[in-house]
Amino acid sequence: MNAFESLGLQENLVKAVSDLGFENPTPIQLKAIPVLLSGTKDFVGLAQTGTGKTAAFGLPLLQLVEPENRYPQALIVCPTRELCLQICNDLVEFKKYARNIQAEPVYGGASIVMQMRALKKGVHIVVATPGRLIDMIERKAIDLQKVKYVVLDEADEMLNMGFRDDIDFVLKNTLNRESIWLFSATMPPTVRAIAQNYMDHPKEVTVGQKNTANVNIDHQYFITQAHAKFETLKRLIDFNPGMYGIIFTRTKVDAQDITEKLVKEGYTIEALHGDLTQQQRDRVMQRFREKSIELLIATDVAARGIDVEGITHVINYELPDDMEVYTHRSGRTARAGKSGICISICHSRETYKIRQLEKMLNVSFHRLDIPGGKEVCRRQFFHFMDKLKSAEFSHGDYETYLPDLEEKFADVSKEEVLKRIAALEFNHLLKYYENADDLNVRFDRREHRHDQGSQRDASRRADHSSFRSDNGYSKLFINLGTKDGFYKASFLQFILDESNLKKEVLGKIDLREMNSWVEVDRSAAQKMIKSLDGTTHNGRQIRMNEADGPSKRPYEKRKKTYSSNR
Ligand code: AMP
């Protein structure tokens, strides 16, 4: 018997998943499908994105709805338009041999009239984002009175996004439902409250973090020589003032060595490893949590389960071999709906490991250039100037010194004062980076092609690997996407407005959740990079560079304020 058949699924669905190449059910499918098919009233599935949970609830729904009744019998609520469309697409695949079942998406940012029209034709399953759904309910454009099954997908994400009241509203408008199936990656008290308020002794199943990486993480890697790793680490720390991060090493000895070397060079950093007593570890963690130290060097064992809010970066000083270890490390950032960056410092022979991780985790890794000395200095410089500009001085007794100060600086211009302040703060850094080496490993052409080839292979869904497209466009990477609230039109508007370019310069746009790729006429590419790279959008610093090519960072606009690590 086919493994899906033995879960109780009917033939047409088994055939459809087999067409999709699914050989065996994933753990969440194994645990959820039989329970949901058995008519269990309420259900909680704790599973991350990427675990196959769409099929875990989608297949049972397709089996349970009655095709002859063309009204909404199942309602799936999910946080974003992209997920809504993705779920619908998956349902279409799954119901390939059950064409008499209709599933329709309902989401904001598209014509409500068209969606209302589609619903009117008769639909069995509605997949909706909360805002548009409520709009539909209020306009009486959707009848949820006969909805039997309500699925809340990515419940924690919906609550993080502030949809609490909307979910309450939806649940209060589906009073004849028989079941709520709630799926969530985590079970914070807010999600637990929904289960308590609306569900009746739900059956709860949990699956581990298999084959998944948090979608809010930007995975970056930098290639250098083995002997230049420490220097690369320093450069990356210096290039990211305000970094609140954990650096992972394989061994306690490495953790201790690197910590000592960094402390000697003036960094505020501490180590967390198994040779410390519990008391010492607690103290280190307390200082890290309070941000008295903003960088921690840790071994995997010591960092197990660290849950600190707001970690911006995780750095793998060495790439771990094991996917689980990588997932655990990177999962220290991008918690509670925030985004984060996971950096891996690799040597050239390790690119195959990156490809493996890409495949196993089903995410793309981005190779970036290790910044040069000048770039680091500019970054630090403008960071400091931002701090200077936003320094709080209302509590000091500065007014009393002002007359003396004014007298002292009477013949010094504002520009000169700024230069002197900069010199005081930066002379040491400028000197240090004056003749800084290029730490990047440049592939020869053959290797480079190979690298690009395998990258294309690994991230089959898109080819972002070439330095330049062949069609007169440069392909640019930008770390903005739908997660930042963009859809295609608003994204185009934004990059064109910021760069003051006309839409004729644009080629293909590949808008993803966390990052996007934009084809820009070669003659306009640098202007766009200059206008956007280093600026901020909703508090997030924008990074734009040629896809997998050398990033040329302009520094005219730095708005974000950081606190220094030094
Ligand atoms: P989801 O968590 O539903 O977004 O699924 C993540 C990915 O896993 C999707 O690309 C699915 O097509 C795929 N998938 C789901 N179930 C299976 C399975 N049983 N075997 C292989 N791939 C699967």
Side-chain angles (χ1 to χ4, degrees):
M1 198 191 251
N2 172 297
F4 282 95
E5 214 177 330
S6 57
L7 299 180
L9 288 170
Q10 59 201 24
E11 201 189 327
N12 62 355
L13 297 171
V14 173
K15 199 157 175 288
V17 292
S18 150
D19 286 358
L20 285 169
F22 297 2
E23 285 170 8
N24 287 302
T26 64
I28 186 69
Q29 290 161 4
L30 270 177
K31 288 184 177 173
I33 292 174
V35 176
L36 298 179
L37 286 174
S38 73
T40 297
K41 217 175 137 326
D42 292 328
F43 177 86
V44 172
L46 287 171
Q48 302 259 357
T49 319
T51 47
K53 64 186 164 55
T54 315
F57 62 76
L59 294 170
L61 280 186
L62 288 166
Q63 183 154 328
L64 291 168
V65 296
E66 295 155 353
E68 60 279 15
N69 293 324
R70 291 183 72 85
Y71 49 72
Q73 299 167 48
L75 171 67
I76 302 167
V77 190
C78 61
T80 63
R81 157 200 162 111
E82 285 64 37
L83 186 57
C84 174
L85 290 171
Q86 192 186 307
I87 294 171
C88 264
N89 286 341
D90 287 358
L91 292 178
V92 169
E93 302 272 12
F94 302 151
K95 70 184 189 68
K96 186 172 169 191
Y97 301 105
R99 288 179 189 275
N100 49 355
I101 298 176
Q102 201 54 37
E104 283 295 336
V106 163
Y107 55 91
S111 159
I112 194 166
V113 179
M114 301 281 277
Q115 291 175 358
M116 280 155 62
R117 218 173 275 160
L119 292 181
K120 266 207 181 119
K121 284 188 191 154
V123 24
H124 303 88
I125 302 176
V126 175
V127 188
T129 54
R132 177 56 63 90
L133 178 62
I134 288 173
D135 200 354
M136 289 270 196
I137 297 172
E138 283 172 342
R139 289 173 190 233
K140 302 206 182 330
I142 190 168
D143 179 9
L144 300 178
Q145 291 316 303
K146 292 182 185 153
V147 165
K148 277 192 187 174
Y149 310 97
V150 175
V151 180
L152 301 176
D153 192 18
E154 304 210 347
D156 50 354
E157 190 64 18
M158 288 201 277
L159 293 167
N160 279 335
M161 289 165 74
F163 287 138
R164 170 74 213 250
D165 292 346
D166 304 38
I167 292 173
D168 279 336
F169 186 85
V170 171
L171 292 176
K172 283 178 182 142
N173 275 277
T174 48
L175 289 178
N176 294 320
R177 64 174 182 265
E178 289 174 7
S179 319
I180 299 178
W181 303 346
L182 181 151
F183 287 83
S184 191
T186 55
M187 198 66 173
T190 44
V191 177
R192 183 69 64 197
I194 292 197
Q196 268 160 6
N197 293 344
Y198 293 99
M199 297 164 85
D200 181 18
H201 297 95
K203 163 95 184 149
E204 193 168 314
V205 308
T206 306
V207 297
Q209 267 188 241
K210 283 271 178 284
N211 195 26
T212 177
N214 183 326
V215 290
N216 297 343
I217 300 172
D218 184 4
H219 301 270
Q220 308 177 344
Y221 67 104
F222 296 82
I223 300 187
T224 193
Q225 311 265 10
H227 65 78
K229 275 193 158 183
F230 181 69
E231 199 55 39
T232 301
L233 173 66
K234 272 190 347 188
R235 196 146 320 162
L236 293 173
I237 295 172
D238 288 347
F239 189 63
N240 289 286
M243 177 189 277
Y244 183 37
I246 307 184
I247 298 152
F248 281 95
T249 60
R250 272 185 221 240
T251 64
K252 295 182 266 194
V253 176
D254 281 349
Q256 197 57 43
D257 273 2
I258 297 167
T259 308
E260 281 168 18
K261 274 158 85 181
L262 285 173
V263 167
K264 228 186 234 169
E265 301 209 22
Y267 294 80
T268 311
I269 192 161
E270 290 197 33
L272 188 74
H273 55 70
D275 279 357
L276 304 181
T277 62
Q278 187 58 44
Q279 219 178 9
Q280 285 171 319
R281 275 199 257 177
D282 290 347
R283 262 206 307 272
V284 172
M285 277 314 294
Q286 195 184 343
R287 280 199 290 275
F288 187 56
R289 268 181 224 284
E290 290 166 349
K291 292 205 177 177
S292 313
I293 44 168
E294 293 188 331
L295 290 173
L296 197 64
I297 302 219
T299 54
D300 292 301
V301 177
R304 184 124 301 164
I306 284 184
D307 187 7
V308 176
E309 245 197 62
I311 290 178
T312 59
H313 289 74
V314 164
I315 300 185
N316 293 305
Y317 190 71
E318 294 104 0
L319 207 54
D321 295 318
D322 192 326
M323 178 192 82
E324 299 267 350
V325 174
Y326 184 90
T327 308
H328 173 263
R329 288 181 179 184
S330 60
R332 299 310 98 206
T333 184
R335 297 179 86 75
K338 298 211 176 86
S339 52
I341 294 174
C342 182
I343 288 175
S344 298
I345 302 176
C346 317
H347 59 78
S348 52
R349 283 188 310 282
E350 283 180 314
T351 48
Y352 80 94
K353 278 195 198 170
I354 297 278
R355 309 291 162 241
Q356 277 178 348
L357 285 168
E358 280 186 318
K359 266 196 192 140
M360 287 191 287
L361 301 169
N362 198 21
V363 295
S364 296
F365 281 57
H366 307 111
R367 182 181 171 188
L368 298 178
D369 268 15
I370 302 163
K374 278 206 172 101
E375 295 173 289
V376 172
C377 291
R378 277 174 180 275
R379 184 65 88 96
Q380 289 272 352
F381 180 81
F382 283 99
H383 165 62
F384 175 77
M385 287 303 163
D386 281 341
K387 270 193 358 187
L388 183 68
K389 204 166 168 203
S390 58
E392 177 55 58
F393 53 84
S394 58
H395 301 302
D397 207 7
Y398 304 110
E399 293 296 324
T400 49
Y401 308 129
L402 214 51
D404 284 347
L405 274 180
E406 275 171 358
E407 199 185 320
K408 230 183 209 333
F409 286 91
D411 55 349
V412 187
S413 70
K414 179 175 155 191
E415 286 72 28
E416 208 176 319
V417 172
L418 285 175
K419 277 191 214 160
R420 283 176 199 278
I421 293 173
L424 268 184
E425 183 72 18
F426 282 98
N427 274 356
H428 72 283
L429 192 80
L430 292 173
K431 202 161 177 43
Y432 181 79
Y433 277 117
E434 205 169 18
N435 296 311
D437 292 334
D438 178 0
L439 299 174
N440 291 287
V441 169
R442 310 272 175 203
F443 292 106
D444 69 28
R445 268 159 107 196
R446 193 175 46 78
E447 276 172 321
H448 192 77
R449 256 202 319 273
H450 168 74
D451 185 43
Q452 290 180 355
S454 44
Q455 189 165 340
R456 249 192 303 274
D457 189 40
S459 45
R460 284 183 303 280
R461 290 164 300 161
D463 170 15
H464 308 302
S465 54
S466 55
F467 272 57
R468 290 197 183 285
S469 318
D470 293 324
N471 51 6
Y473 290 116
S474 292
K475 191 174 272 182
L476 307 185
F477 163 88
I478 183 164
N479 65 336
L480 291 179
T482 54
K483 184 85 192 161
D484 303 284
F486 287 114
Y487 48 95
K488 219 165 202 166
S490 61
F491 178 67
L492 290 189
Q493 197 64 47
F494 175 75
I495 57 175
L496 291 175
D497 285 352
E498 290 294 301
S499 57
N500 213 5
L501 287 164
K502 297 237 163 5
K503 73 170 185 298
E504 287 68 33
V505 303
L506 295 179
K508 269 190 265 162
I509 308 284
D510 185 5
L511 188 68
R512 298 291 179 86
E513 188 164 4
M514 294 297 296
N515 305 305
S516 304
W517 285 264
V518 188
E519 280 186 351
V520 180
D521 191 281
R522 264 177 220 169
S523 60
Q526 286 309 317
K527 181 167 184 213
M528 181 163 287
I529 295 177
K530 269 198 179 124
S531 311
L532 281 147
D533 186 42
T535 60
T536 54
H537 174 69
N538 287 345
R540 191 164 145 197
Q541 187 155 32
I542 299 178
R543 210 159 36 73
M544 184 178 232
N545 51 261
E546 284 193 80
D548 250 10
S551 61
K552 299 186 178 67
R553 297 164 192 278
Y555 298 91
E556 286 80 44
K557 298 190 189 175
R558 301 281 172 213
K559 295 181 194 144
K560 197 165 173 179
T561 41
Y562 293 105
S563 63
S564 174
N565 287 316
R566 295 273 206 168

